[in-house]
């Protein structure tokens, strides 16, 4: 926490956005737990309150995102222009 606080202070002094791992409210942003499967991106955030929970939820969702979903979304991307015309 002390190191993170020092990094936040230094970043603020230089007017640089900063993410504080030990004090989410003390930073400018939090980072979601992200899973990618082809064109699909899933992000889960607890607003910094419980990163481990976000990671566990992300892992559960990612386990269901097999290659079939990526192929299906790629096909939908090809068909979208035809449907919209």
């Amino acid at each position: 926490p002390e190191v993170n606080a020092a990094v936040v202070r230094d970043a603020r002094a230089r007017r640089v956005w900063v993410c504080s791992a030990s004090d989410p409210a003390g930073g400018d942003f939090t980072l979601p737990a992200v899973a990618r499967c082809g064109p699909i991106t899933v992000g889960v955030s607890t607003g910094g309150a419980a990163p481990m929970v976000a990671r566990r939820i992300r892992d559960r969702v990612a386990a269901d995102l097999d290659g079939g979903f990526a192929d299906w979304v790629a096909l939908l991307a090809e068909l979208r222009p035809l449907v919209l015309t």
Side-chain angles (χ1 to χ4, degrees), residues 8 12 18-30 47-49:
V8 169
R12 292 265 164 79
V18 64
C19 176
S20 175
S22 61
D23 178 21
D28 300 306
F29 61 92
T30 58

Side-chain angles (χ1 to χ4, degrees), residues 8 15-16 21 31 39 43-44 63 65-66 71 76 82:
V8 169
R15 301 177 56 119
V16 174
L31 297 171
V44 180
L65 291 176
D66 60 23
D71 295 342
L76 292 173
L82 300 172

Side-chain angles (χ1 to χ4, degrees), residues 35-42 65-71 73-74:
R36 291 182 178 83
C37 180
I40 301 170
T41 302
V42 176
L65 291 176
D66 60 23
F69 278 107
D71 295 342
V73 171

